[in-house]
Amino acid sequence: MTHRRQFLQLLGASAIGPAALSLASASTPATPAAPLTLLNVSYDPTRELYAEFNPLFAQHWRERTGQALSFQQAHGGSGRQARAIIDGLAADVATLALAADIDALHHNGNWVPRDWQRRLPHNSTPYTSTIIFVVRSGNPKNIRDWGDLVRPDVRVVTPNPKSSGGARWNYLAAWEFARRQSGSVAGARDFITRLYRNVPVLDVGARGAATSFAQRNQGDVLLAWENEAHLLEKEFGQRVDFVYPSISILAEPPVTVVDRNVERKGSRAAAQAYLEHLYSEAGQDLVGKHFYRPRSAAAQAKYARQFPALTLFTIDEAFGGWSNATREHFAEGALFDQIFTQRR
């Protein structure tokens, strides 16, 4: 019997709605297990979400099992975070920016199984986001859509797609806009080349790019996760505005247990429950509170006013999935490398 099946039999996991999992009540063990620390290796803009989610889950887990949990968080560019796990960082869970980074954990050391996306609802993505524009207060450059980003008077802030998952979403959103506008791959390539001519510096991750824009006053527009845009507005108030373009990409940040590590540490049950609790109504409420788009109908309704309707396309629809997008755009010598080296 697998660890997962044993765990479900012990705690009685049950689905609530089409996109949620919750743990049914279980009697507290007579002798609680020793305290445990879980390491969540995540990408840049999730710091605030997990800082609030961790104590919520710790209380939930202690009530169910009697075991005390503590947490460590590691944040950075999603691609670099995946590489850190491959190189030995002992993550119990990986909550990264895109599926390709978790696929890399399978292909480089079998840290997770090939079918990791099938283990949780919605291909193991408990929340979604998209890419929008953050501009200076009053939008002095009158930036309204992707086409404005290639104007000679506009400087764009975006991180490096070689290290940042958010940057890959940025790039692909811009590419698909241009492909649809021009009707050709050649037109999209020309547009992206001109866009990156307007990028003076590529930060390593999304949070670094946000810092460059908001604190160091670099650039006229920041390409940002929707949740990061809201956080900047909360922090900097009237110094920034944000703009929704005519079309963007449905960003689906996935989560997984890191199997090799949890087997070694004996933390599988808690790590799996941690991710499942993101789908609970309490978890989904926090997702919406921190400006990610929740999966549950109740949380979607509660936070509907902060998520304007937007035309979104998926990575599968536009690029045939992450495997194709990575090979064609982000692998060594692929389109991004060609465009960036020729941008000057």
Side-chain angles (χ1 to χ4, degrees), residues 301-320:
K302 179 177 179 178
Y303 293 102
R305 292 183 63 184
Q306 71 187 29
F307 298 122
L310 178 63
T311 300
L312 299 174
F313 59 86
T314 69
I315 188 76
D316 290 340
E317 291 167 348
F319 299 95

Side-chain angles (χ1 to χ4, degrees), residues 138-334:
N139 195 8
K141 292 295 182 75
N142 195 30
I143 295 166
R144 300 298 178 189
D145 209 348
W146 294 99
D148 295 314
L149 305 187
V150 299
R151 289 173 12 207
D153 64 322
V154 171
R155 292 293 173 264
V156 180
V157 178
T158 182
N160 189 340
K162 305 296 279 191
S163 57
S164 167
R168 294 190 180 195
W169 291 113
N170 296 349
Y171 170 104
L172 294 175
W175 178 281
E176 181 62 8
F177 165 83
R179 189 195 65 78
R180 294 187 183 195
Q181 288 290 106
S182 67
S184 69
V185 169
R189 178 169 178 155
D190 175 69
F191 180 86
I192 292 292
T193 302
R194 289 187 289 143
L195 190 158
Y196 277 91
R197 284 178 183 150
N198 287 348
V199 179
V201 177
L202 291 175
D203 286 290
V204 171
R207 186 55 58 90
T211 298
S212 293
F213 179 82
Q215 295 185 8
R216 299 173 188 155
N217 293 314
Q218 293 182 5
D220 303 300
V221 55
L222 169 70
L223 305 188
W225 292 94
E226 183 178 36
N227 72 295
E228 189 83 347
H230 281 277
L231 292 175
L232 288 173
E233 183 187 45
K234 287 180 65 177
E235 182 175 357
F236 294 98
Q238 297 182 356
R239 291 169 55 186
V240 299
D241 290 329
F242 49 84
V243 173
Y244 280 83
S246 63
I247 188 172
S248 195
I249 195 164
L250 178 66
E252 298 179 287
V255 302
T256 186
V257 167
V258 183
D259 295 68
R260 282 180 56 183
N261 288 334
V262 298
E263 291 293 344
R264 177 178 55 82
K265 296 169 65 176
S267 58
R268 177 179 290 277
Q272 181 68 24
Y274 178 83
L275 297 182
E276 290 177 349
H277 204 59
L278 288 167
Y279 292 87
S280 71
E281 288 303 335
Q284 290 287 288
D285 186 71
L286 275 186
V287 162
K289 177 182 176 181
H290 288 275
F291 306 106
Y292 282 97
R293 296 188 176 217
R295 294 291 196 178
S296 88
Q300 287 176 5
K302 179 177 179 178
Y303 293 102
R305 292 183 63 184
Q306 71 187 29
F307 298 122
L310 178 63
T311 300
L312 299 174
F313 59 86
T314 69
I315 188 76
D316 290 340
E317 291 167 348
F319 299 95
W322 272 111
S323 179
N324 287 339
T326 300
R327 182 179 64 255
E328 294 176 6
H329 293 272
F330 306 119
E332 292 301 314

Side-chain angles (χ1 to χ4, degrees), residues 9-31:
Q9 288 183 1
L10 174 63
L11 296 183
S14 60
I16 297 180
L21 290 176
S22 68
L23 299 176
S25 296
S27 58
T28 302
T31 305

Side-chain angles (χ1 to χ4, degrees), residues 35-43 46 50 53-54 57 68-76 81-82 84-96 105 111 255-262 264-268 270-272 274-275:
L36 178 67
T37 297
L38 296 181
L39 172 58
N40 179 0
V41 174
S42 195
Y43 65 106
T46 61
Y50 285 109
F53 178 76
N54 290 343
F57 177 73
L69 290 180
S70 59
F71 299 89
Q72 294 177 330
Q73 293 179 223
H75 298 272
Q81 296 295 78
I85 295 171
I86 293 165
D87 289 343
L89 183 60
D92 298 276
V93 298
T95 58
L96 298 180
L105 302 184
W111 296 91
V255 302
T256 186
V257 167
V258 183
D259 295 68
R260 282 180 56 183
N261 288 334
V262 298
R264 177 178 55 82
K265 296 169 65 176
S267 58
R268 177 179 290 277
Q272 181 68 24
Y274 178 83
L275 297 182

